[in-house]
Amino acid sequence: MSFLIQAGCPAVQTCASAADMADAVGEMYSSDAEDAILVWNLVPVRLSYRYDLAALLDDLVPLLEEIQRPEFSAAEVFWGADTFSAEWQMVREDDSLRIRARWHSTLGNYESLLAERGDAVVPTRTFVAEWAKVLKRIVSDIEVKAVELEDADIFLRAKALLAAPELTGPEPTGPAPRGPGSSGSVVIR
């Protein structure tokens, strides 16, 4: 498979309250917690929960909502974490996404190897389901630790994504699911 994610099982620290979901993630997971692993055309890329995933959340959730919309055709997203920095151009091709990436920074300095491996082509449903593994881990940990969020918008949107039948039920047979509009630094065409 050209794209998959292993969410792992990072140890969780106590966090009574946080400004938002990203802030909670930055506080709940220590810098030595188990990382998530994104596999891009057979190249494993570590994603730190504390640093990388905390920085990606505000763009990730709107992106996942948007790519599931029937009218979605293309998007650009800039992942701007220190140890996971990349620009992804995503284009719908039938029921799949073609992701063309420009890699700037990864843990382990795999940028040139990732560039050599080329585009990732992944069914849209699979792309969403792979990221849902990470979101499920984070949402569950926030709920278990009863973290109070001052701004729960992204958290509630992540929960809505996870509750969607296409992630919890049988394979869909109809058109692509609809999701709320997007915001953030994702550029939709």
Side-chain angles (χ1 to χ4, degrees):
M1 174 171 276
S2 64
F3 183 91
L4 64 93
I5 297 175
Q6 178 183 341
C9 189
V12 183
Q13 304 176 129
T14 299
C15 173
S17 64
D20 57 19
M21 186 174 178
D23 191 42
V25 170
E27 293 181 35
M28 287 188 332
Y29 303 105
S30 71
S31 57
D32 61 350
E34 181 179 352
D35 294 329
I37 306 294
L38 180 148
V39 179
W40 180 279
N41 290 327
L42 303 177
V43 178
V45 179
R46 292 173 45 199
L47 297 174
S48 160
Y49 273 85
R50 182 178 188 120
Y51 302 111
D52 300 326
L53 291 169
L56 304 181
L57 282 173
D58 287 342
D59 293 328
L60 177 62
V61 171
L63 175 68
L64 295 178
E65 291 169 337
E66 186 61 32
I67 65 173
Q68 293 181 84
R69 295 169 52 97
E71 62 273 11
F72 170 80
S73 62
E76 294 178 18
V77 64
F78 176 72
W79 305 119
D82 290 341
T83 53
F84 184 78
S85 178
E87 296 172 59
W88 286 5
Q89 295 179 340
M90 306 172 74
V91 178
R92 174 174 275 165
E93 294 180 353
D94 298 319
D95 291 335
S96 294
L97 297 171
R98 175 173 297 278
I99 308 167
R100 180 168 290 123
R102 287 188 44 211
W103 301 97
H104 304 294
S105 171
T106 60
L107 275 171
N109 300 315
Y110 294 123
E111 300 85 2
S112 61
L113 179 58
L114 289 162
E116 287 175 18
R117 296 295 171 103
D119 298 352
V121 179
V122 59
T124 303
R125 177 181 165 85
T126 301
F127 182 83
V128 173
E130 291 301 313
W131 280 113
K133 295 175 193 177
V134 172
L135 290 178
K136 184 175 181 182
R137 162 67 44 208
I138 293 169
V139 165
S140 174
D141 289 345
I142 287 173
E143 289 177 331
V144 166
K145 292 298 184 181
V147 180
E148 291 186 31
L149 301 174
E150 293 173 29
D151 178 356
D153 178 58
I154 294 294
F155 175 74
L156 294 173
R157 290 164 66 183
K159 282 185 71 168
L161 279 168
L162 295 172
E166 40 295 334
L167 293 179
T168 59
E171 293 286 325
T173 57
R178 293 181 186 260
S182 72
S183 61
S185 65
V186 177
V187 178
I188 309 299
R189 288 188 230 159

